[in-house]
């Protein structure tokens, strides 16, 4: 898979000719609303011909297998398909066995570039002793690219009918699905959540349901509510009993505690509470995890940070989701949502006190549109990456890319004369995050939040690693 950045004067036709990939494959991969209206600076995912196939409307797995001369089972296994008869347009399929017929003017190097593999590996599997002995019509086997397995979580806040389509389309890319949210109550009970249908949908895609518990009330995190639980052991025992009942009744496999804005004096109370939870949930086969604010040091000040004890929780729980996003928050100045240089600073500290195989890096599936000049008190509008591209098309903006933040952005002026600045995610920023997960040897990645269309993200993720399946 390649990532191409649209230049002035380019069309989808010229891009398709450059990479030897038909227009329909590129258009479907990127879910282009108008293939004839590309934006200068727009990033496009380009499938590797013969190695990756983007399912088109009307396709079936048998016909695709026939096209590539392999079995349906080989494709099903390579792509972790839960049901070979249940595929949808836009999905990427990895073709596990590839063959290439040498054409005039081709060399081992140009063929290797086409499939994004090492020329030496092609030579090895085809017993080629000299790279200069290729001949026209020669059939070469193209070796598979080994992809590591990583755990992938996604939070979901919309649990209605649209959620089922999301889960159906994206379930193959996920290890966990986290419906948001159950909230604690002062008496040790939990609020209700209409999550039965999404849990069933997740399990049908071999995705593990992850129960999220927060100190959330009236659309905000409440410090006093957290304290009422963390300072009372009898309430904790009632809470754990109620939590277990819900997990067992509904079929959850794990729990994620997203307690935010905890009073600093409750730091050790939180650690002790987690030890108590683990001691009772582990014997019953449940995993325990937490979501933590992005810290740079153990003693970082602020009510968001102080009670989040990286080192202690790294020993207590099974894994930790680091919320490495929201630098560009809705109430703040225009900025990248997850600037990669800032994300790395958090990870550079985290890996010194938390085992790498317990860290899941947070990543956003959204962008924001700010009015500029920015004024204190103004709130940015949240937009999906697809919507951001549509805005750039509508207002004739060119997309720029900040290499320090590894994030795209652009500015435009609307019909009223109001200027805007938009920061969002694209294939390049998604690739940068996958590179960090691999380079830091992390457990995996966790997304906030499903419901914002970003088809490129899933193709990039699939190109970098397989989602580990626990169900």
């Amino acid at each position: 898979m390649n990532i191409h950045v649209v230049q002035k004067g380019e069309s989808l036709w010229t891009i398709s000719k450059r990479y030897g990939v038909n227009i329909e494959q590129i258009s479907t991969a990127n879910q282009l609303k108008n293939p004839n209206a590309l934006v200068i600076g727009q990033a496009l995912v380009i499938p590797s011909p013969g190695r990756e196939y983007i399912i088109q409307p009307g396709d079936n797995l048998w016909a695709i297998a026939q096209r590539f001369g392999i079995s349906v089972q080989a494709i099903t296994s390579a792509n972790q398909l839960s049901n070979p008869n249940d595929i949808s347009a836009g999905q990427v399929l990895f073709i596990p066995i590839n063959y290439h017929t040498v054409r005039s003017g081709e060399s081992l190097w140009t063929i290797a570039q086409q499939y994004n593999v090492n020329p030496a590996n092609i030579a090895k599997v085809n017993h080629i002793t000299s790279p200069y002995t290729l001949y026209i019509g020669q059939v070469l086997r193209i070796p598979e690219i080994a992809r590591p397995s990583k755990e992938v979580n996604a939070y979901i806040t919309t649990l209605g009918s649209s959620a089922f389509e999301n889960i159906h389309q994206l379930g193959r890319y996920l290890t966990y699905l986290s419906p948001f949210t159950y909230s604690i109550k002062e008496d040790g009970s939990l609020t209700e959540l209409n999550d039965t249908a999404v849990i069933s949908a997740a399990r049908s895609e071999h995705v593990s349901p992850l129960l999220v518990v927060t100190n959330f009330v009236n659309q905000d995190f409440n410090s006093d509510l957290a304290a009422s639980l963390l300072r009372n052991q009898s309430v904790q025992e009632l809470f754990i009993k109620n939590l277990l009942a819900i997990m067992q009744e509904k079929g959850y496999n794990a729990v994620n505690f997203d307690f935010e804005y905890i009073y600093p004096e409750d730091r050790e109370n939180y650690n002790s509470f987690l030890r108590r939870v683990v001691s009772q949930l582990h014997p019953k086969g449940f995993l325990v995890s937490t979501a933590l604010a992005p810290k740079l040091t153990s003693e970082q000040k602020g009510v968001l940070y102080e009670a989040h004890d990286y080192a202690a929780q790294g020993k207590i729980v099974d894994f930790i989701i680091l919320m490495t996003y929201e630098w560009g928050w809705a109430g703040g100045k225009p900025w990248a949502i997850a600037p990669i240089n800032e994300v790395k600073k958090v990870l550079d500290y985290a890996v010194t006190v938390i085992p790498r195989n317990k860290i899941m890096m947070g990543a956003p599936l959204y962008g924001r549109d700010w009015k500029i000049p920015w004024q204190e008190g103004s709130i940015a509008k949240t937009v999906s990456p697809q919507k951001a591209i549509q805005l750039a098309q509508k207002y004739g903006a060119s997309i720029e890319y900040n290499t320090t933040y590894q994030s795209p952005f652009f500015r435009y002026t609307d019909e009223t004369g109001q200027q805007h600045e938009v920061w969002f995610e694209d294939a390049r920023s998604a690739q940068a995050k996958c590179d960090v997960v691999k380079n830091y040897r992390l457990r995996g990645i966790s997304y906030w939040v499903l419901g914002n269309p970003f088809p490129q993200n899933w193709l990039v993720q699939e190109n970098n690693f397989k989602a580990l399946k626990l169900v």
Side-chain angles (χ1 to χ4, degrees):
M1 180 175 289
N2 291 290
I3 298 174
H4 178 83
V5 180
V6 177
Q7 304 298 310
K8 185 176 181 180
E10 286 188 322
S11 67
L12 206 58
W13 185 85
T14 60
I15 295 169
S16 72
K17 291 299 180 184
R18 173 177 174 176
Y19 291 95
V21 181
N22 71 47
I23 289 176
E24 289 74 20
Q25 284 282 287
I26 301 174
S27 181
T28 306
N30 296 278
Q31 293 185 20
L32 299 178
K33 193 170 185 179
N34 183 357
N36 297 315
L38 299 180
V39 177
I40 295 173
Q42 178 180 359
L44 296 174
V45 166
I46 311 294
S48 298
R51 178 171 296 281
E52 297 156 336
Y53 178 77
I54 307 300
I55 297 173
Q56 302 294 300
D59 271 341
N60 63 71
L61 214 56
W62 184 85
I64 296 170
Q66 290 292 108
R67 174 181 300 184
F68 292 101
I70 57 177
S71 69
V72 169
Q73 179 57 40
I75 296 179
T76 301
S77 176
N79 292 277
Q80 303 184 100
L81 300 180
S82 57
N83 182 354
N85 297 315
D86 191 11
I87 58 176
S88 56
Q91 277 183 256
V92 60
L93 292 178
F94 281 86
I95 308 305
I97 302 175
N98 272 326
Y99 293 94
H100 178 88
T101 302
V102 178
R103 297 187 295 266
S104 176
E106 289 188 320
S107 67
L108 204 60
W109 186 85
T110 60
I111 295 169
Q113 288 290 106
Q114 184 176 343
Y115 293 96
N116 196 28
V117 297
N118 191 314
N121 291 341
I122 298 179
K124 182 178 180 179
V125 300
N126 291 280
H127 308 291
I128 297 173
T129 57
S130 170
Y132 305 106
T133 59
L134 298 185
Y135 57 87
I136 297 172
Q138 182 179 3
V139 177
L140 300 176
R141 178 174 177 174
I142 308 300
E144 291 183 60
I145 300 174
R147 292 175 293 147
S149 292
K150 297 289 183 181
E151 291 192 4
V152 181
N153 175 60
Y155 291 96
I156 185 168
T157 56
T158 303
L159 306 183
S161 57
S162 62
F164 309 143
E165 183 179 353
N166 255 324
I167 296 166
H168 172 66
Q169 290 181 343
L170 304 177
R172 62 184 294 233
Y173 305 114
L174 303 176
T175 307
Y176 306 101
L177 180 76
S178 300
F180 193 87
T181 175
Y182 284 90
S183 293
I184 58 174
K185 292 183 178 180
E186 290 185 357
D187 62 359
S189 62
L190 291 94
T191 57
E192 295 183 356
L193 188 65
N194 185 19
D195 53 0
T196 304
V198 295
I199 291 172
S200 177
R203 286 193 165 277
S204 71
E205 298 294 334
H206 304 296
V207 177
S208 298
L210 180 62
L211 187 150
V212 181
V213 184
T214 63
N215 56 319
F216 211 55
V217 60
N218 297 326
Q219 301 300 307
D220 207 355
F221 290 94
N222 188 286
S223 305
D224 290 328
L225 183 59
S228 70
L229 174 72
L230 300 179
R231 298 176 185 180
N232 191 319
Q233 291 187 20
S234 61
V235 172
Q236 290 177 29
E237 289 299 329
L238 285 171
F239 166 80
I240 295 171
K241 180 181 178 180
N242 290 324
L243 174 65
L244 275 168
I246 294 172
M247 295 181 73
Q248 292 169 331
E249 175 192 349
K250 294 194 173 183
Y252 277 100
N253 295 108
V255 63
N256 178 245
F257 291 99
D258 181 12
F259 288 179
E260 301 185 30
Y261 295 95
I262 304 171
Y263 288 123
E265 56 266 34
D266 284 321
R267 176 180 173 123
E268 188 48 46
N269 290 335
Y270 190 19
N271 293 338
S272 298
F273 164 74
L274 290 171
R275 292 186 187 98
R276 186 169 290 110
V277 170
V278 167
S279 70
Q280 296 191 44
L281 265 63
H282 272 185
K284 298 184 183 300
F286 295 116
L287 297 175
V288 179
S289 65
T290 56
L292 298 183
K295 296 176 65 168
L296 301 179
T297 69
S298 62
E299 301 305 319
Q300 188 162 334
K301 298 300 181 184
V303 70
L304 180 62
Y305 308 103
E306 290 181 59
H308 283 184
D309 189 335
Y310 276 33
Q313 293 194 24
K315 294 182 176 71
I316 298 167
V317 301
D318 297 295
F319 62 90
I320 290 170
I321 294 170
L322 296 182
M323 295 182 285
T324 41
Y325 37 73
E326 284 294 280
W327 274 267
W329 64 290
K333 295 180 180 179
W335 195 8
I337 310 299
I340 209 71
N341 61 321
E342 300 296 332
V343 171
K344 287 180 177 179
K345 291 176 185 177
V346 174
L347 291 173
D348 285 341
Y349 161 61
V351 298
T352 65
V353 290
I354 304 172
R356 293 172 188 264
N357 63 1
K358 286 190 175 187
I359 298 174
M360 296 185 73
M361 184 190 79
L365 297 177
Y366 59 94
R368 289 219 165 93
D369 181 342
W370 285 267
K371 292 180 180 180
I372 55 173
W374 180 78
Q375 294 182 353
E376 188 78 42
S378 63
I379 302 297
K381 182 179 179 180
T382 299
V383 296
S384 71
Q386 291 294 82
K387 178 63 176 179
I389 295 294
Q390 292 165 17
L391 284 171
Q393 289 175 341
K394 179 178 180 179
Y395 294 104
S398 295
I399 295 170
E400 300 179 61
Y401 192 76
N402 187 296
T403 55
T404 299
Y405 303 150
Q406 293 288 298
S407 180
F409 70 100
F410 62 91
R411 299 180 183 90
Y412 71 91
T413 303
D414 66 23
E415 296 86 350
T416 69
Q418 174 65 55
Q419 293 181 309
H420 295 250
E421 184 169 318
V422 179
W423 289 84
F424 65 108
E425 302 293 322
D426 69 3
R428 293 168 292 183
S429 64
Q431 181 59 58
K433 292 172 180 62
C434 286
D435 287 340
V436 169
V437 171
K438 292 186 295 185
N439 293 339
Y440 278 77
R441 306 191 306 280
L442 305 181
R443 184 187 188 95
I445 192 166
S446 176
Y447 297 110
W448 182 272
V449 57
L450 292 188
N452 298 297
F454 186 15
Q456 292 181 341
N457 180 79
W458 310 106
L459 305 189
V460 171
Q461 176 192 297
E462 188 76 347
N463 191 59
N464 282 272
F465 43 77
K466 296 180 181 179
L468 191 65
K469 294 292 185 179
L470 305 179
V471 174

